[in-house]
């Protein structure tokens, strides 16, 4: 089932429900802000301080960083403009009792062309079932090529940050955004302070484990992954985030960031895909 709903302030979102899972996707930013199995907690973390107002990005869920990750394009706002742009629903369908799929689309506009002078089509396909697949498809409709960096900036809920471990990134080149140093990651990732790094040459499943569950992230069309936790000080300085929120999430972001950028020639497309599966331990 797919329903168009809105909050009291008129902020619109889609609610998807089937026998396996449910999800909520804001039209602004095609932003998945809830995904949960029928009988359990939300897979994603969502700030209780998030505004759900047009023009400001939702804090949590899966912000779409596009057409730039971070400040990879200094001419654009941090993480680009897709996450504060209004997408349109182009299709929705039930795939049996246990799966529902929607496609949302953003096209270039007068506003976007003033920010980033390229014609494009951006389609986001979300399939909700006992796994969640998210496919972000960029098509260059311009007469010139353009450079693209992007990320599915997923905030995954954890029971307690001190129990969280990220596996699958050992031996990968790591750019530490806090020190601007690059080195090879030697061990699995645990958290005891702010962590903000981009891993390259990633070609296998990433696992996020905590005391209660094991979450799998499998990426296609991507060889970079961002791992982030703001810890207390940064968390206290961030918008729409209570100071202790750092204890409740880890961002594991399916990306094309930094060296993993894409150049799309006219009429070329690129798909960034993530498949998420959470299993209770
Ligand atoms: O992906 C990690 C990161 O780039 C952090 O450096 C932090 O800025 C985070 O994204 C959130 O960014 P935002 O613009 O959503 O506040």
């Amino acid at each position: 089932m797919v329903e168009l709903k809105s909050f009291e302030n008129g902020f619109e979102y889609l609610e998807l429900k089937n026998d396996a899972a449910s999800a909520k996707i804001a039209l602004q930013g095609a932003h998945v802000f809830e995904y949960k199995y029928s009988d359990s907690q939300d897979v994603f973390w969502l700030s209780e301080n998030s505004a759900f107002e047009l023009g400001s990005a939702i804090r949590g869920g899966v912000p779409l960083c596009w057409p730039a990750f971070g400040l990879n394009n200094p001419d654009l706002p941090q993480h680009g403009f897709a996450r504060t742009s209004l997408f349109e629903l182009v299709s929705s369908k039930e795939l049996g009792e246990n799966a529902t799929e929607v496609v949302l689309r953003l096209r270039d506009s007068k506003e976007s062309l003033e920010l980033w002078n390229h014609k494009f089509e951006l389609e986001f396909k979300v399939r909700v079932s006992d796994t969640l697949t998210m496919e972000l498809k960029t098509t260059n409709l311009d007469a010139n090529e353009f450079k693209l960096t992007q990320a599915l900036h997923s905030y995954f809920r954890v029971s307690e940050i001190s129990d969280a471990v990220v596996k699958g990134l050992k031996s990968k080149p790591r750019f530490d955004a806090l020190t601007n140093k690059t080195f090879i990651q030697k061990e699995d990732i645990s958290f005891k302070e702010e962590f903000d790094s981009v891993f390259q040459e990633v070609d296998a499943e990433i696992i996020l484990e905590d005391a209660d569950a094991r979450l799998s992230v499998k990426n296609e069309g991507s060889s970079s992954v961002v791992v982030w936790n703001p810890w207390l000080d940064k968390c206290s300085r961030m918008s729409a985030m209570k100071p202790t929120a750092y204890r409740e999430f880890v961002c594991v972001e399916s990306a094309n960031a930094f060296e993993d950028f894409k150049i799309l020639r006219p009429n070329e497309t690129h798909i960034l895909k993530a498949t998420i599966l959470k299993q209770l331990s």
Side-chain angles (χ1 to χ4, degrees):
M1 180 270 294
V2 179
E3 272 186 276
L4 178 62
K5 296 192 165 184
S6 62
F7 293 120
E8 281 174 20
N9 65 353
F11 190 87
E12 291 187 305
Y13 64 94
L14 301 171
E15 183 163 35
L16 287 68
K17 268 188 182 168
N18 58 54
D19 290 352
S22 65
K24 291 177 182 172
I25 308 173
L27 293 188
Q28 176 181 264
H31 193 134
V32 177
F33 63 90
E34 185 179 292
Y35 166 62
K36 53 187 182 185
Y37 303 117
S38 310
D39 53 355
S40 66
Q41 220 183 16
D42 199 338
V43 171
F44 295 114
W45 175 83
L46 178 68
S47 172
E48 56 211 37
N49 303 359
S50 207
F52 290 99
E53 271 166 15
L54 291 178
S56 55
I58 297 166
R59 177 65 72 196
V62 186
L64 299 184
C65 304
W66 190 94
F69 172 76
L71 292 171
N72 279 182
N73 180 336
D75 300 332
L76 291 174
Q78 155 108 336
H79 292 329
F81 55 80
R83 62 177 175 168
T84 51
S85 299
L86 219 43
F87 283 63
E88 57 173 337
L89 176 64
V90 290
S91 71
S92 65
K93 59 183 172 184
E94 304 300 332
L95 307 165
E97 295 83 40
N98 297 329
T100 308
E101 180 182 277
V102 292
V103 177
L104 295 100
R105 181 172 60 200
L106 180 70
R107 279 291 315 271
D108 53 87
S109 62
K110 178 173 159 300
E111 295 75 21
S112 75
L113 289 165
E114 283 166 7
L115 271 176
W116 190 61
N117 192 20
H118 296 289
K119 294 184 184 304
F120 66 86
E121 178 184 81
L122 184 62
E123 279 197 346
F124 191 46
K125 182 188 292 182
V126 182
R127 183 181 180 280
V128 170
S129 182
D130 52 5
T131 59
L132 174 74
T133 59
M134 298 181 284
E135 294 186 53
L136 190 59
K137 178 181 175 185
T138 301
T139 302
N140 180 346
L141 299 179
D142 206 89
N144 304 306
E145 67 179 34
F146 58 62
K147 178 178 178 181
L148 174 65
T149 58
Q150 58 185 346
L152 305 177
H153 193 298
S154 305
Y155 286 75
F156 292 111
R157 176 182 297 283
V158 293
S159 47
E160 172 52 56
I161 189 64
S162 53
D163 296 334
V165 177
V166 174
K167 300 180 174 179
L169 295 170
K170 264 187 206 170
S171 78
K172 299 303 176 189
R174 168 181 166 190
F175 169 67
D176 184 337
L178 303 174
T179 61
N180 284 325
K181 289 193 174 15
T182 299
F183 51 93
I184 299 298
Q185 180 65 23
K186 294 269 189 299
E187 62 281 325
D188 290 336
I189 299 163
S190 54
F191 301 88
K192 50 188 181 306
E193 58 190 346
E194 183 178 355
F195 190 103
D196 191 349
S197 289
V198 184
F199 294 84
Q200 297 291 343
E201 302 172 22
V202 181
D203 52 7
E205 180 183 34
I206 307 299
I207 300 294
L208 168 61
E209 276 180 352
D210 67 7
D212 308 330
R214 179 183 189 277
L215 181 132
S216 162
V217 181
K218 291 180 182 169
N219 297 325
E220 295 169 61
S222 154
S223 58
S224 51
V225 165
V226 184
V227 177
W228 175 58
N229 182 280
W231 214 253
L232 176 60
D233 289 352
K234 180 152 188 183
C235 203
S236 308
R237 299 194 304 272
M238 293 195 73
S239 62
M241 192 105 82
K242 66 182 186 194
T244 57
Y246 74 94
R247 297 179 55 185
E248 302 167 359
F249 73 85
V250 173
C251 282
V252 177
E253 304 164 36
S254 311
N256 295 119
F258 292 89
E259 300 93 298
D260 184 26
F261 65 84
K262 299 296 170 190
I263 300 286
L264 271 67
R265 290 190 295 271
N267 300 314
E268 276 191 333
T269 65
H270 179 73
I271 294 176
L272 168 61
K273 180 175 179 180
T275 302
I276 312 295
L277 171 63
K278 184 166 187 176
Q279 293 161 314
L280 297 180
S281 38

